[in-house]
């Protein structure tokens, strides 16, 4: 890879790179957190786009397993859990969505489509399991380790036993050999593909009359493989079903039965059989928590029928920073990409490439100086009715340390409003009262936002700490930030001769790349289902929060760039709850349960914009103080305002009210 090429040019690598490159790029940091994927039992693997679902599921692919063996690299799954055969289906690339293009029977519409979908899924997975066994069986040492014996005798016995089983309803009855068996399975899949893509007029009658029950062929296959000694009794079969959200989109097609394809997969998971274990990779919104099972009133039970793993939850920062996996995960991914690109750095820097490339974000006092191009007194706003000694003190402090002066101004507004005697007593020595650790920490981001606003400057985002904070523990956000920053650097240094050393990006290049990423992320919201409404709501919230932070001169509420609702109140409004849950599932909002700071101590949920959207709206990306405590009715009014404004129905009066209304500006009037 030429050194001026962006190592992050391709974001989604799972399907675009070969097995050898996968081994070099795959980061094992999540494996020990998701070991259930490699144990018997069904697993639902949830995550936002780009969180690593497909990368993890790729460890089940035989080609990946072989690549580790051939390169003498330890397979990242513990030895006691790697005795398995992995196979499966990617619902996007396998053509499952084609079932929404054409009904099998025009007169019946899509009424019978779920049964044909189930049959198609069965045949695809059975064939893929056989091909996986063949591929792994080619590597003698690996086959012995897993427990595979694909000698001709075993395969012949297996083929005769499998083809005669009643689950096929006679479709495989004339099979005489293993080769014929595979050809017959492949033929069935081709019949479906040709029909659904209008390459044939009808599905053959022999298929219509021999449809299989979902899951049964895989159970029979596993049993027969073991009885025929093709695989050992201790060898597990794991089947991945990736891109599960395709079923949710498929069922949105007009005149289509609601959620029947998902219910058919639920039926598969509900089978009381451990011979085959399924792994579903899905985005949060696509998983129907109700778990309705096709053809029955029964439902799936979490913990009994399946285990639920959320990658987003695993990566999110908890109270104890030492348990936060994401920084090491991001560091490892960056290092692997750099290594593959051929860029050079010293061995002593291998554990710190994030800091090496992006530097440190710096202290707030240093950032504040970046926003002030000339007059440092623009960092503060003093009031004419304040005592002259205070105004003089603040102006002098602004010349010395603009950031500290802004904190001092807020402290005066807060304390002076509470107790006028404060205005007569200027602190004479450091540390000043506004420099107390938590008071200062909680207001640092708001102070910087106000200083930038007063100087008509864009916020700057750079350094390791800012990059990690903006990601919100989402690896896709990290990859896109890296790509944008690298692209900006390439554009900026186009005429400068480059070496093969790892570039060290300055603050301006990083900041431009960050803002480009944030804007692109915001624009992409509307590309998803329901995204137009969510994008309008996000824009409303972002503008509201920024206005609130800028106008709160006393910085009395530094956490008011999120909102909190009472859980019990929210549960009574299904429509709003659904909207907020979808916004969270699509990654537009981040939510977290918390206990009220009010006397009632009721359970609440708080929401913030996805941190990657912070540069777009000039908001903090870290959350250190309580958000706005509001009501369901208020949030519903926000939504109505969004819809009215988007449709051009907002009255002139409402617009004027929106411009002039808002929070207290924090000014105080002191008469001496």
């Amino acid at each position: 890879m030429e050194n001026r090429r962006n190592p992050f040019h391709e974001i989604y690598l799972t399907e675009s790179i070969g097995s050898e490159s996968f081994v070099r790029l795959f980061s094992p940091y999540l494996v020990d957190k998701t070991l259930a994927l490699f144990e018997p039992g069904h697993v639902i693997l949830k995550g936002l786009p780009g969180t690593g679902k497909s990368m993890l599921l790729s460890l089940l692919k035989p080609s990946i397993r072989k690549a580790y063996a051939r390169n003498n690299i330890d397979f990242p799954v513990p030895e006691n859990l790697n005795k398995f055969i992995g196979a499966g289906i990617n619902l996007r690339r396998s053509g499952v969505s084609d079932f929404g293009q054409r009904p099998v029977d025009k007169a019946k519409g899509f009424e019978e489509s779920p049964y044909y979908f189930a049959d198609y899924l069965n045949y695809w997975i059975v064939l893929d399991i056989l091909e996986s066994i063949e591929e792994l069986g080619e590597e003698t040492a690996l086959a012995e380790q897993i427990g595979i014996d694909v000698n001709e005798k075993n395969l012949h016995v297996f083929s005769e036993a499998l083809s005669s089983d009643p689950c096929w309803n006679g479709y495989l009855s004339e099979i005489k050999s293993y080769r014929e068996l595979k050809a017959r399975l492949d033929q069935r899949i081709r019949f479906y593909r040709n029909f659904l893509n209008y390459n044939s007029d009808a599905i053959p009658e022999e298929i219509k009359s021999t449809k299989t029950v979902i899951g049964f062929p895989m159970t029979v296959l596993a049993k027969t493989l073991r009885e025929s000694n093709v695989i050992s009794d201790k060898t597990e079969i794991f089947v991945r079903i990736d891109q599960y959200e395709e079923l949710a989109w498929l069922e949105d097609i007009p005149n289509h039965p609601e959620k029947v394809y998902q219910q058919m997969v639920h039926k598969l998971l509900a089978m009381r059989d451990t011979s085959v274990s399924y792994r579903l990779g899905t985005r949060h919104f696509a998983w129907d928590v109700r778990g309705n099972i096709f053809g029955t009133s029964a439902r799936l039970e979490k913990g009994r029928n399946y285990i639920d793993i959320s990658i987003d939850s695993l990566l999110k920062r908890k109270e104890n920073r030492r348990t936060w996996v994401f920084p090491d995960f991001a560091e490892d991914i960056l290092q692997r990409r750099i290594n593959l690109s051929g860029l050079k750095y010293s061995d002593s820097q291998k554990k710190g490439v994030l800091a090496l490339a992006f530097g440190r974000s710096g202290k707030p006092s240093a950032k504040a100086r970046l926003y002030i191009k000339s007059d440092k007194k623009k960092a503060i706003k003093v009031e004419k009715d304040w005592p002259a000694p205070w105004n003089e003190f603040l102006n002098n402090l602004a010349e010395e340390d603009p950031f500290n002066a802004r904190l001092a101004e807020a402290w005066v507004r807060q304390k002076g409003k509470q107790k006028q005697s404060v205005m007569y007593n200027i602190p004479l020595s450091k540390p000043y009262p506004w420099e107390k650790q938590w008071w200062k920490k909680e207001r640092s981001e708001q102070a910087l936002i106000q200083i930038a606003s007063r100087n008509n400057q864009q916020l700057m985002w750079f350094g390791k700490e800012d990059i990690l904070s903006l990601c919100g523990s989402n690896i896709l956000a990290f990859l896109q930030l890296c790509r944008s920053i690298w692209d900006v650097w390439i554009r900026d240094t186009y005429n400068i001769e480059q070496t093969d050393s790892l570039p060290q990006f300055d603050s301006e290049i990083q900041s431009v790349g960050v803002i480009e990423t944030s804007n692109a992320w915001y624009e992409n919201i509307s590309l998803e289902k329901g995204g137009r409404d969510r994008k309008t709501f996000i824009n409303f919230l972002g503008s509201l929060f920024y206005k609130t932070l800028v106008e709160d001169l006393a910085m009395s509420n530094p956490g008011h760039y999120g909102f909190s609702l009472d859980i019990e109140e929210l549960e009574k409004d299904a429509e709003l709850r659904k909207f907020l849950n979808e916004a969270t599932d699509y990654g537009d909002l981040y939510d977290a349960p918390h206990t009220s700071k009010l006397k009632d101590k009721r359970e609440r949920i708080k929401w913030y914009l996805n941190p990657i959207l912070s540069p777009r709206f000039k908001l903090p990306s870290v959350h250190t103080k309580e958000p706005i405590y509001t009501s369901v009715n208020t949030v519903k009014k926000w939504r109505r305002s969004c819809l009215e404004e988007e449709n051009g129905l907002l009255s002139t009066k409402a617009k004027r009210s929106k411009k002039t209304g808002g929070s207290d500006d924090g000014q105080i009037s002191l008469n001496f």
Side-chain angles (χ1 to χ4, degrees):
M1 188 181 293
E2 191 235 327
N3 67 297
R4 290 192 61 83
R5 180 181 172 186
N6 191 335
F8 293 88
H9 178 70
E10 292 184 82
I11 295 293
Y12 298 98
L13 289 175
T14 307
E15 307 299 339
S16 62
I17 62 173
S19 301
E20 303 298 318
S21 295
F22 179 95
V23 168
R24 296 173 62 188
L25 285 173
F26 178 77
S27 176
Y29 272 85
L30 292 182
V31 173
D32 66 336
K33 306 290 184 182
T34 56
L35 289 180
L37 286 172
F38 311 100
E39 297 174 343
H42 308 321
V43 178
I44 312 301
L45 184 64
K46 299 178 183 177
L48 293 170
T51 49
K53 301 185 300 295
S54 294
M55 292 287 277
L56 277 170
L57 292 174
S58 289
L59 291 177
L60 303 178
K61 294 181 179 180
S63 59
I64 300 299
R65 187 72 178 272
K66 288 171 61 179
Y68 276 99
R70 289 176 177 174
N71 287 276
N72 293 318
I73 298 175
D74 290 339
F75 192 54
V77 178
E79 187 175 351
N80 64 316
L81 297 177
N82 63 25
K83 196 179 182 69
F84 65 81
I85 294 161
I89 183 171
N90 182 303
L91 295 181
R92 178 171 299 168
R93 294 186 295 108
S94 63
V96 161
S97 59
D98 295 343
F99 278 90
Q101 296 180 170
R102 186 180 187 186
V104 176
D105 188 324
K106 288 185 179 180
K108 296 181 179 179
F110 291 98
E111 180 182 339
E112 294 184 348
S113 292
Y115 298 97
Y116 290 97
F117 158 75
D119 188 59
Y120 180 78
L121 194 73
N122 286 338
Y123 275 84
W124 182 289
I125 292 175
V126 166
L127 181 59
D128 202 66
I129 291 173
L130 294 181
E131 291 183 340
S132 294
I133 290 173
E134 286 183 50
E135 188 171 358
L136 292 169
E138 293 172 351
E139 299 287 331
T140 304
L142 193 56
E144 183 177 343
Q145 177 189 356
I146 296 173
I148 298 174
D149 187 353
V150 288
N151 68 68
E152 189 173 337
K153 179 181 177 181
N154 286 352
L155 291 178
H156 181 74
V157 172
F158 158 75
S159 301
E160 285 191 337
L162 183 70
S163 59
S164 62
D165 192 273
C167 76
W168 307 103
N169 297 311
Y171 184 75
L172 301 179
S173 59
E174 297 182 5
I175 295 301
K176 303 297 183 184
S177 68
Y178 178 72
R179 180 178 296 181
E180 287 183 15
L181 170 64
K182 283 191 61 183
R184 186 70 165 160
L185 296 171
D186 183 65
Q187 182 185 50
R188 181 107 169 183
I189 294 170
R190 291 179 184 276
F191 276 139
Y192 277 115
R193 297 297 293 271
N194 286 331
F195 172 76
L196 294 173
N197 287 285
Y198 291 88
N199 293 324
S200 61
D201 295 330
I203 289 180
E205 285 298 325
E206 67 170 342
I207 291 181
K208 291 183 177 181
S209 62
T210 59
K211 294 187 294 297
T212 52
V213 177
I214 192 163
F216 275 42
M218 285 78 93
T219 297
V220 171
L221 173 71
K223 177 184 175 183
T224 309
L225 285 168
R226 294 182 174 107
E227 290 178 346
S228 305
N229 296 319
V230 176
I231 65 175
S232 75
D233 290 336
K234 296 181 180 180
T235 302
E236 300 291 343
I237 298 178
F238 298 147
V239 174
R240 68 188 187 281
I241 301 178
D242 202 6
Q243 304 291 345
Y244 182 74
E245 57 270 14
E246 284 294 313
L247 299 187
W249 287 320
L250 175 59
E251 288 161 345
D252 284 334
I253 298 174
N255 303 318
H256 235 68
E258 184 181 1
K259 298 189 181 299
V260 288
Y261 299 103
Q262 291 172 300
Q263 291 174 15
M264 190 63 81
V265 174
H266 293 169
K267 185 175 181 179
L268 174 68
L269 300 179
M271 294 178 63
R272 299 296 176 86
D273 179 79
T274 59
S275 59
V276 179
S277 298
Y278 296 93
R279 283 85 181 85
L280 268 65
T282 181
R283 292 165 64 174
H284 293 275
F285 74 86
W287 179 250
D288 186 357
V289 294
R290 293 172 297 180
N292 294 329
I293 299 171
F294 188 85
T296 176
S297 60
R299 296 186 177 187
L300 288 178
E301 296 180 37
K302 180 179 175 180
R304 184 178 184 183
N305 297 116
Y306 66 91
I307 294 174
D308 189 317
I309 298 176
S310 170
I311 296 182
D312 306 295
S313 297
L314 292 175
L315 291 176
K316 272 187 179 179
R317 180 177 173 179
K318 309 298 189 296
E319 291 295 328
N320 184 354
R321 183 184 175 89
R322 287 179 295 181
T323 64
W324 191 24
V325 179
F326 185 78
D328 289 337
F329 187 31
E331 182 89 46
D332 188 57
I333 286 175
L334 176 60
Q335 182 177 318
R336 289 171 182 272
R337 290 272 187 143
I338 290 171
N339 290 343
L340 191 64
S341 72
L343 293 170
K344 303 292 193 302
Y345 55 95
S346 67
D347 290 341
S348 63
Q349 297 167 326
K350 284 185 178 180
K351 290 187 178 181
V353 288
L354 264 172
L356 177 63
F358 302 114
R360 309 308 295 250
S361 297
K363 296 181 178 180
S365 57
K367 272 194 173 182
R369 288 187 171 89
L370 295 175
Y371 302 142
I372 301 173
K373 301 301 181 182
S374 55
D375 187 359
K376 293 181 180 179
K377 293 179 182 178
K378 285 186 177 182
I380 60 172
K381 286 184 179 180
V382 298
E383 305 299 330
K384 293 180 180 179
D385 56 356
W386 288 1
W390 256 114
N391 288 350
E392 182 181 358
F393 173 81
L394 290 172
N395 283 321
N396 290 336
L397 186 58
E399 291 290 342
E400 176 188 338
D401 187 345
F403 175 74
N404 202 3
R406 178 61 197 95
L407 293 177
E409 176 204 336
W411 186 83
V412 172
R413 292 179 184 277
Q414 273 192 38
K415 304 302 179 181
K417 190 172 184 179
Q418 297 167 8
K419 192 175 181 180
Q420 291 194 7
S421 62
V422 168
M423 303 305 291
Y424 296 101
N425 297 287
I426 300 174
L428 299 177
S429 60
K430 296 183 179 182
Y432 297 128
W434 51 85
E435 292 180 312
K436 290 181 179 179
Q437 180 182 358
W438 286 107
W439 199 95
K440 179 179 179 179
K441 181 177 181 180
E442 290 167 352
R443 289 160 180 79
S444 291
E445 295 298 322
Q446 187 177 8
L448 290 174
I449 289 170
Q450 293 187 1
I451 292 172
S453 174
R454 292 171 179 182
N455 289 271
N456 297 315
Q457 296 294 317
Q458 177 65 267
L459 290 178
M460 296 194 69
W461 306 84
F462 60 89
K464 174 182 176 179
E465 293 78 13
D466 278 358
I467 297 296
L468 290 176
S469 176
L470 288 166
C471 293
S473 297
N474 183 303
I475 204 64
L476 176 60
F478 175 73
L479 295 172
Q480 291 188 345
L481 284 169
C482 290
R483 179 173 66 181
S484 291
I485 291 170
W486 229 286
D487 280 343
V488 173
W489 173 76
I490 289 174
R491 295 197 305 262
D492 189 68
T493 60
Y494 184 77
N495 294 319
I496 301 175
E497 184 177 352
Q498 298 297 322
T499 67
D500 61 356
S501 297
L502 173 67
Q504 296 178 14
F505 308 107
D506 66 37
S507 59
E508 290 189 7
I509 284 176
Q510 291 184 56
S511 207
V512 172
V514 165
I515 293 170
E516 286 183 2
T517 302
S518 185
N519 288 335
W521 197 287
Y522 170 72
E523 294 301 330
N524 288 339
I525 293 174
S526 58
L527 300 179
E528 300 281 9
K529 178 189 173 186
R532 182 177 176 183
D533 288 344
R534 293 196 306 276
K535 182 180 178 183
T536 305
F537 186 65
I538 293 298
N539 185 61
F540 176 90
L541 290 179
S543 301
L544 171 67
F545 294 154
Y546 176 72
K547 183 175 184 291
T548 301
L549 290 180
V550 168
E551 293 183 352
D552 177 18
L553 300 186
M555 295 200 288
S556 301
N557 300 296
H560 281 195
Y561 49 96
F563 66 95
S564 169
L565 292 175
D566 183 286
I567 292 179
E568 186 176 334
E569 183 188 4
L570 181 61
E571 287 297 320
K572 296 175 182 177
D573 195 306
E575 182 182 357
L576 181 62
R577 185 177 70 249
K578 180 176 183 292
F579 176 79
L580 294 177
N581 286 343
E582 286 183 351
T584 304
D585 286 348
Y586 278 96
D588 306 323
L589 291 176
Y590 272 29
D591 69 342
H594 72 118
T595 302
S596 173
K597 298 297 183 182
L598 303 176
K599 292 181 179 180
D600 58 24
K601 299 298 180 182
R602 293 167 65 88
E603 295 298 316
R604 305 179 69 91
I605 299 180
K606 55 185 175 182
W607 284 270
Y608 296 93
L609 300 190
N610 186 328
I612 195 63
L613 297 172
S614 295
R616 166 80 186 192
F617 296 104
K618 303 176 184 177
L619 297 174
S621 59
V622 294
H623 311 135
T624 57
K625 197 66 175 173
E626 288 294 283
I628 300 170
Y629 279 44
T630 188
S631 66
V632 164
N633 284 336
T634 298
V635 178
K636 290 173 73 173
K637 288 179 182 177
W638 292 349
R639 284 205 66 203
R640 284 197 296 271
S641 296
C642 294
L643 297 174
E644 289 171 356
E645 188 170 8
E646 185 174 349
N647 294 324
L649 300 177
L650 192 64
S651 67
T652 303
K653 181 178 179 181
K655 288 181 179 179
R656 187 180 301 117
S657 174
K658 182 179 177 183
K659 289 180 180 179
T660 59
S663 60
D664 178 12
D665 64 4
Q667 294 189 18
I668 57 178
S669 178
L670 300 175
N671 298 313
F672 300 97

